[in-house]
Amino acid sequence: MTQIGHFISNQQQVGTSGREQPVFNPATGQSENSVALASVEEVNTAVAAAKEAWPAWSKTPPLRRARILDKFKTILWERADELAEIISSEHGKVHDDAVGEVTRGLEVVEFAVGAPTFLKGEFSENVGSDVDSHSIRQSLGVVAGITPFNFPAMVPMWMFPVALACGNTFILKPSERDPSASLKMAEWLKEAGLPDGVFNVVQGDKEAVDALLDHQDVKAISFVGSTPIAQYIHQRGTANGKRVQALGGAKNHMVIMPDADLDMATNALMGAAFGSAGERCMAISVAVPVTDQVADALIEKLVPKIEALKIGPATDKASEMGPLITKEHMEKVKGYIDSGEQEGAKIITDGRSFRQEKQGYENGFYVGGTLIDQVSPEMKIWKEEIFGPVLSIVRRQSYKDAVDLIHSCEYANGTAVFTRDGDTARAFSQDIEVGMVGVNVPIPVPMAFHSFGGWKASIFGDHHMHGMEGVRFFTRIKTTTTRWPSGQRDDPQFSMPTLG
Ligand code: NAD
């Protein structure tokens, strides 16, 4: 078994904690590698390296920092397939989906290359007589990113390109379930010219995360993962005086109005519910057809498409949907389908019975596309995030009831409405209490120059990721007010200075 280790001060480091865990290829169900799980001392070594690198990096001209990121971007473009293969081998997603993930991450690098523009600051001449003021955004110091398994390249790239462009140094603690993409990106950042210690990877589990949360030299924590852990990270990080943004889980609804283009809605649902085997925080897991007539017509269109889904390993280019991340997660998803059935929902297509017949892949962690009708808000399968290829249908008889359903959900990451009516679309996008909204767009993931984030239990903290929100998160503002002796002189003044 080969050990996947850390990357500190631009060097691969073998784990020394004596703790490690297997990393699986979900398509085969086999494990050939293990990942090192860092001790507190290993985390401290990485933080010390990042701390040492920060003064020089923060004072490096933004244009020079941007040029290094620009070179990294070119490497990503040229080697997207290589990174995609690494992602697929540990995550299981199909190749084109993995390339899509790399591309969406790369777009944040493209945004970060604009740092000289977005760090320009503001200047006001004559805020008082002969007095000028300017405001600048400065880096925080050592910052850390803690990321989930489902986007092992894109989610880290929501964070580190912006953090580095702003002059911070970075520790990435990727998911222990698919740790290799982070090391490849670290190697390529080094190749692009990033100085030692500016970007570091520490592999690990709760022990490494807690060490980062408690370390006084870590100034900010950017987290993406499940809601209970996001809440924990936010509480412990802020209690330790850190700035924290913690994005959590999701349950995303798509409303299909009677006037919607049903073929368009059906195809959109197929990709949004079953792409990446439903392991996306922006997956649509609940379809909300308005009226029974729409529900029946939708099901009729969905069923043959779900039955025709090509489920297989990423090595087969024809595969449309891969396996789930682990055996435990596969069992959990099947358990949710059992629970829906027990609570009285109607299983229309049943992914529990799917068997992978391709030779060598029989033991992979596959679940087939599952469609469940007659789901109601009292059921566990509606209340909880399933994170698998399971699409629930909650029938509603009016637009208002559909909106009320969405508002009663604890999560508020993404949502969509399919309609041809401008009034409905405008009302939905204005009034819905969800962070990211699509109108005839099923997965409304904002582009890099906008910002990504949900509301309610889908986020803890104030800042969304990337775009200008990312810049605000990874910088703090300083305002300097200046007067020179040649200007007007005042007598001593004991009242609050005003313009008068
Ligand atoms: P997870 O919460 O289990 O793990 C995320 C990170 O937290 C990992 O790095 C993990 O090592 C660490 N971690 C896990 N348990 C911990 C603990 N007890 N203490 C400290 N650290 C701990 O999430 P996951 O299963 O890797 O990812 C799937 C989840 O992420 C889903 O809920 C999904 O919706 C969510 N997600 C959200 C977004 C978003 O933008 N809102 C994006 C992607 C994924």
Side-chain angles (χ1 to χ4, degrees):
M1 234 186 220
T2 312
Q3 192 205 61
I4 299 158
H6 317 298
F7 193 92
I8 301 172
S9 290
N10 272 343
Q11 298 297 329
Q12 301 263 6
Q13 309 267 342
V14 177
T16 55
S17 70
R19 292 195 311 127
E20 56 182 22
Q21 73 176 49
V23 176
F24 287 87
N25 178 343
T28 61
Q30 304 301 313
S31 165
E32 283 159 19
N33 301 317
S34 69
V35 60
L37 301 174
S39 62
V40 175
E41 291 70 33
E42 287 169 302
V43 171
N44 291 347
T45 304
V47 175
K51 189 180 179 187
E52 196 186 331
W54 178 64
W57 181 246
S58 66
K59 290 205 163 60
T60 300
L63 184 60
R64 199 161 288 156
R65 295 198 296 251
R67 282 184 184 152
I68 292 172
L69 288 168
D70 194 43
K71 219 176 215 174
F72 173 64
K73 184 199 74 183
T74 305
I75 296 174
L76 276 176
W77 268 127
E78 288 170 359
R79 303 181 205 161
D81 275 324
E82 186 184 339
L83 188 56
E85 276 165 26
I86 292 170
I87 294 169
S88 294
S89 70
E90 292 179 351
H91 176 284
K93 64 179 72 177
V94 300
H95 184 75
D96 288 351
D97 190 28
V99 172
E101 157 170 7
V102 175
T103 308
R104 291 308 298 261
L106 184 151
E107 287 164 5
V108 184
V109 185
E110 284 176 324
F111 168 75
V113 169
T117 305
F118 60 64
L119 293 177
K120 264 193 328 207
E122 296 170 341
F123 186 92
S124 296
E125 189 180 44
N126 287 330
V127 290
S129 300
D130 300 322
V131 179
D132 304 323
S133 269
H134 69 272
S135 299
I136 54 169
R137 294 202 154 266
Q138 292 190 316
S139 61
L140 305 176
V142 180
V143 299
I146 300 160
T147 53
F149 80 82
N150 67 323
F151 286 106
M154 183 185 79
V155 169
M157 283 195 273
W158 283 355
M159 305 168 179
F160 74 73
V162 180
L164 298 181
C166 291
N168 302 280
T169 54
F170 201 91
I171 315 276
L172 173 62
K173 204 306 282 173
S175 170
E176 59 274 47
R177 288 180 270 180
D178 44 15
S180 294
S182 61
L183 292 183
K184 189 48 78 182
M185 292 189 290
E187 265 176 38
W188 291 347
L189 283 165
K190 177 182 178 182
E191 190 181 330
L194 202 69
D196 294 357
V198 173
F199 180 80
N200 308 275
V201 179
V202 171
Q203 310 288 358
D205 55 5
K206 183 171 168 49
E207 187 169 331
V209 171
D210 287 349
L212 288 167
L213 289 171
D214 294 344
H215 201 303
Q216 61 172 8
D217 290 332
V218 175
K219 302 298 177 196
I221 301 273
S222 187
F223 172 88
V224 176
S226 59
T227 286
I229 308 299
Q231 193 162 18
Y232 165 75
I233 299 279
H234 186 257
Q235 276 168 358
R236 189 156 171 168
T238 52
N240 284 331
K242 298 183 199 317
R243 192 177 280 198
V244 181
Q245 55 176 182
L247 276 57
K251 192 89 189 169
N252 305 316
H253 298 71
M254 178 168 134
V255 178
I256 302 107
M257 294 300 291
D259 65 353
D261 180 325
L262 214 53
D263 288 315
M264 183 188 187
T266 306
N267 285 339
L269 268 176
M270 286 302 298
F274 303 112
S276 205
E279 290 174 325
R280 288 182 183 141
C281 66
M282 288 294 274
I284 296 287
S285 50
V286 186
V288 190
V290 172
T291 75
D292 286 329
Q293 211 181 350
V294 175
D296 293 339
L298 184 69
I299 290 169
E300 203 178 309
K301 285 182 185 288
L302 278 170
V303 169
K305 289 182 190 280
I306 296 173
E307 286 173 348
L309 264 176
K310 296 192 189 79
I311 303 169
T315 44
D316 179 352
K317 294 284 184 280
S319 299
E320 293 169 329
M321 186 174 107
L324 292 170
I325 184 73
T326 56
K327 188 162 192 287
E328 295 70 39
H329 189 55
M330 175 183 75
E331 298 303 344
K332 190 172 167 195
V333 170
K334 287 182 179 176
Y336 274 117
I337 305 171
D338 293 345
S339 134
E341 193 169 40
Q342 284 151 17
E343 289 192 276
K346 192 171 161 198
I347 315 289
I348 308 277
T349 63
D350 190 346
R352 290 171 297 187
S353 53
F354 176 80
R355 297 280 168 271
Q356 182 57 259
E357 278 158 11
K358 284 194 181 74
Q359 211 187 348
Y361 298 96
E362 300 88 340
N363 297 320
F365 310 137
Y366 300 93
V367 173
T370 302
L371 183 64
I372 312 184
D373 191 16
Q374 307 289 355
V375 174
S376 71
E378 295 73 40
M379 294 177 186
K380 188 172 151 186
I381 51 166
W382 180 79
K383 288 186 188 143
E384 296 181 14
E385 181 181 39
I386 299 174
F387 225 54
V390 180
L391 178 62
S392 297
I393 295 196
V394 181
R395 295 170 176 238
R396 284 294 172 262
Q397 303 309 321
S398 71
Y399 168 77
K400 183 182 174 306
D401 289 350
V403 169
D404 288 348
L405 174 77
I406 296 172
H407 285 172
S408 65
C409 180
E410 81 169 293
Y411 301 105
N413 212 39
T415 189
V417 65
F418 274 63
T419 180
R420 287 190 170 98
D421 181 66
D423 279 342
T424 307
R426 187 163 188 278
F428 188 82
S429 53
Q430 267 201 336
D431 300 338
I432 206 76
E433 294 186 6
V434 175
M436 292 172 283
V437 183
V439 174
N440 298 317
V441 173
I443 307 187
V445 175
M447 291 297 284
F449 33 92
H450 288 265
S451 299
F452 184 104
W455 289 9
K456 292 162 69 177
S458 295
I459 194 167
F460 301 87
D462 302 317
H463 290 93
H464 286 191
M465 301 245 167
H466 62 68
M468 286 312 291
E469 279 283 271
V471 175
R472 284 178 206 115
F473 181 75
F474 285 118
T475 55
R476 53 188 170 172
I477 197 158
K478 181 185 278 176
T479 304
T480 303
T481 302
T482 311
R483 166 159 55 194
W484 297 101
S486 59
Q488 180 187 321
R489 286 172 188 242
D490 299 329
D491 294 331
Q493 191 184 341
F494 300 100
S495 56
M496 187 70 188
T498 65
L499 255 187

Short mmCIF file of all heavy atoms in Angstrom, two decimals, residues 282-303:
data_model
loop_
_atom_site.label_atom_id
_atom_site.label_comp_id
_atom_site.label_asym_id
_atom_site.label_seq_id
_atom_site.Cartn_x
_atom_site.Cartn_y
_atom_site.Cartn_z
N MET A 282 -25.27 21.11 -4.82
CA MET A 282 -26.27 21.82 -5.63
C MET A 282 -27.13 20.84 -6.42
O MET A 282 -27.87 21.26 -7.32
CB MET A 282 -25.57 22.82 -6.56
CG MET A 282 -25.01 24.03 -5.83
SD MET A 282 -26.30 25.07 -5.10
CE MET A 282 -26.69 26.11 -6.50
N ALA A 283 -27.05 19.55 -6.10
CA ALA A 283 -27.92 18.57 -6.77
C ALA A 283 -29.37 18.92 -6.47
O ALA A 283 -29.69 19.40 -5.38
CB ALA A 283 -27.61 17.18 -6.24
N ILE A 284 -30.24 18.68 -7.43
CA ILE A 284 -31.67 18.78 -7.14
C ILE A 284 -32.09 17.42 -6.58
O ILE A 284 -31.97 16.40 -7.26
CB ILE A 284 -32.49 19.12 -8.40
CG1 ILE A 284 -32.12 20.51 -8.94
CG2 ILE A 284 -33.98 18.99 -8.12
CD1 ILE A 284 -32.61 21.68 -8.13
N SER A 285 -32.54 17.41 -5.33
CA SER A 285 -32.96 16.14 -4.74
C SER A 285 -34.48 16.07 -4.58
O SER A 285 -35.01 15.01 -4.27
CB SER A 285 -32.26 15.91 -3.40
OG SER A 285 -32.39 17.05 -2.59
N VAL A 286 -35.15 17.21 -4.77
CA VAL A 286 -36.61 17.22 -4.67
C VAL A 286 -37.21 17.95 -5.88
O VAL A 286 -36.91 19.12 -6.10
CB VAL A 286 -37.10 17.92 -3.38
CG1 VAL A 286 -38.61 17.78 -3.23
CG2 VAL A 286 -36.39 17.40 -2.15
N ALA A 287 -38.05 17.23 -6.64
CA ALA A 287 -38.81 17.89 -7.71
C ALA A 287 -40.18 18.24 -7.15
O ALA A 287 -40.79 17.42 -6.45
CB ALA A 287 -38.95 16.96 -8.91
N VAL A 288 -40.63 19.46 -7.42
CA VAL A 288 -41.93 19.90 -6.89
C VAL A 288 -42.84 20.28 -8.07
O VAL A 288 -42.92 21.46 -8.45
CB VAL A 288 -41.75 21.10 -5.94
CG1 VAL A 288 -43.06 21.40 -5.21
CG2 VAL A 288 -40.64 20.87 -4.94
N PRO A 289 -43.46 19.28 -8.69
CA PRO A 289 -44.37 19.61 -9.78
C PRO A 289 -45.65 20.25 -9.22
O PRO A 289 -46.19 19.78 -8.22
CB PRO A 289 -44.67 18.25 -10.42
CG PRO A 289 -44.24 17.22 -9.44
CD PRO A 289 -43.36 17.85 -8.41
N VAL A 290 -46.08 21.32 -9.87
CA VAL A 290 -47.29 22.00 -9.41
C VAL A 290 -48.47 21.47 -10.22
O VAL A 290 -48.53 21.68 -11.44
CB VAL A 290 -47.14 23.53 -9.52
CG1 VAL A 290 -48.45 24.24 -9.21
CG2 VAL A 290 -46.05 24.01 -8.55
N THR A 291 -49.32 20.77 -9.56
CA THR A 291 -50.51 20.00 -9.98
C THR A 291 -50.14 18.53 -10.25
O THR A 291 -49.01 18.21 -10.67
CB THR A 291 -51.27 20.55 -11.22
OG1 THR A 291 -50.52 20.25 -12.38
CG2 THR A 291 -51.57 22.03 -11.09
N ASP A 292 -51.09 17.67 -10.01
CA ASP A 292 -50.90 16.23 -10.22
C ASP A 292 -50.67 15.91 -11.69
O ASP A 292 -49.93 14.99 -12.04
CB ASP A 292 -52.14 15.46 -9.72
CG ASP A 292 -52.18 15.41 -8.20
OD1 ASP A 292 -51.09 15.41 -7.58
OD2 ASP A 292 -53.28 15.41 -7.64
N GLN A 293 -51.32 16.71 -12.53
CA GLN A 293 -51.17 16.48 -13.98
C GLN A 293 -49.70 16.64 -14.39
O GLN A 293 -49.15 15.83 -15.13
CB GLN A 293 -52.02 17.51 -14.69
CG GLN A 293 -52.58 17.03 -15.99
CD GLN A 293 -53.40 18.16 -16.64
OE1 GLN A 293 -53.69 19.19 -16.02
NE2 GLN A 293 -53.77 17.95 -17.88
N VAL A 294 -49.06 17.71 -13.88
CA VAL A 294 -47.65 17.94 -14.19
C VAL A 294 -46.81 16.81 -13.61
O VAL A 294 -45.89 16.28 -14.26
CB VAL A 294 -47.17 19.31 -13.64
CG1 VAL A 294 -45.68 19.50 -13.85
CG2 VAL A 294 -47.94 20.45 -14.29
N ALA A 295 -47.14 16.38 -12.37
CA ALA A 295 -46.37 15.31 -11.73
C ALA A 295 -46.44 14.02 -12.56
O ALA A 295 -45.41 13.38 -12.82
CB ALA A 295 -46.92 15.06 -10.32
N ASP A 296 -47.63 13.66 -12.99
CA ASP A 296 -47.78 12.41 -13.76
C ASP A 296 -47.02 12.48 -15.08
O ASP A 296 -46.34 11.52 -15.48
CB ASP A 296 -49.28 12.13 -14.02
CG ASP A 296 -50.02 11.82 -12.71
OD1 ASP A 296 -49.35 11.45 -11.73
OD2 ASP A 296 -51.26 11.99 -12.67
N ALA A 297 -47.14 13.63 -15.75
CA ALA A 297 -46.45 13.78 -17.05
C ALA A 297 -44.93 13.76 -16.85
O ALA A 297 -44.20 13.16 -17.66
CB ALA A 297 -46.89 15.09 -17.71
N LEU A 298 -44.47 14.38 -15.77
CA LEU A 298 -43.03 14.42 -15.49
C LEU A 298 -42.50 13.01 -15.24
O LEU A 298 -41.45 12.61 -15.78
CB LEU A 298 -42.79 15.32 -14.27
CG LEU A 298 -41.34 15.57 -13.88
CD1 LEU A 298 -40.64 16.45 -14.92
CD2 LEU A 298 -41.27 16.25 -12.51
N ILE A 299 -43.21 12.26 -14.42
CA ILE A 299 -42.77 10.89 -14.09
C ILE A 299 -42.70 10.05 -15.37
O ILE A 299 -41.74 9.30 -15.59
CB ILE A 299 -43.72 10.26 -13.04
CG1 ILE A 299 -43.51 10.98 -11.71
CG2 ILE A 299 -43.46 8.77 -12.89
CD1 ILE A 299 -44.54 10.65 -10.63
N GLU A 300 -43.70 10.22 -16.21
CA GLU A 300 -43.72 9.44 -17.46
C GLU A 300 -42.48 9.73 -18.31
O GLU A 300 -41.93 8.83 -18.95
CB GLU A 300 -44.99 9.83 -18.23
CG GLU A 300 -45.43 8.77 -19.21
CD GLU A 300 -46.72 9.19 -19.90
OE1 GLU A 300 -47.68 9.57 -19.18
OE2 GLU A 300 -46.74 9.17 -21.15
N LYS A 301 -42.04 10.98 -18.31
CA LYS A 301 -40.86 11.33 -19.09
C LYS A 301 -39.56 10.91 -18.40
O LYS A 301 -38.58 10.56 -19.05
CB LYS A 301 -40.83 12.85 -19.33
CG LYS A 301 -41.82 13.31 -20.38
CD LYS A 301 -41.71 14.80 -20.62
CE LYS A 301 -42.79 15.30 -21.58
NZ LYS A 301 -42.57 14.89 -22.98
N LEU A 302 -39.56 10.97 -17.06
CA LEU A 302 -38.32 10.67 -16.33
C LEU A 302 -37.97 9.17 -16.33
O LEU A 302 -36.80 8.80 -16.49
CB LEU A 302 -38.45 11.12 -14.86
CG LEU A 302 -38.20 12.59 -14.55
CD1 LEU A 302 -38.63 12.92 -13.10
CD2 LEU A 302 -36.73 12.97 -14.74
N VAL A 303 -38.99 8.33 -16.17
CA VAL A 303 -38.72 6.90 -15.93
C VAL A 303 -37.86 6.25 -17.02
O VAL A 303 -36.82 5.64 -16.70
CB VAL A 303 -40.04 6.13 -15.70
CG1 VAL A 303 -39.81 4.62 -15.72
CG2 VAL A 303 -40.65 6.55 -14.35
#
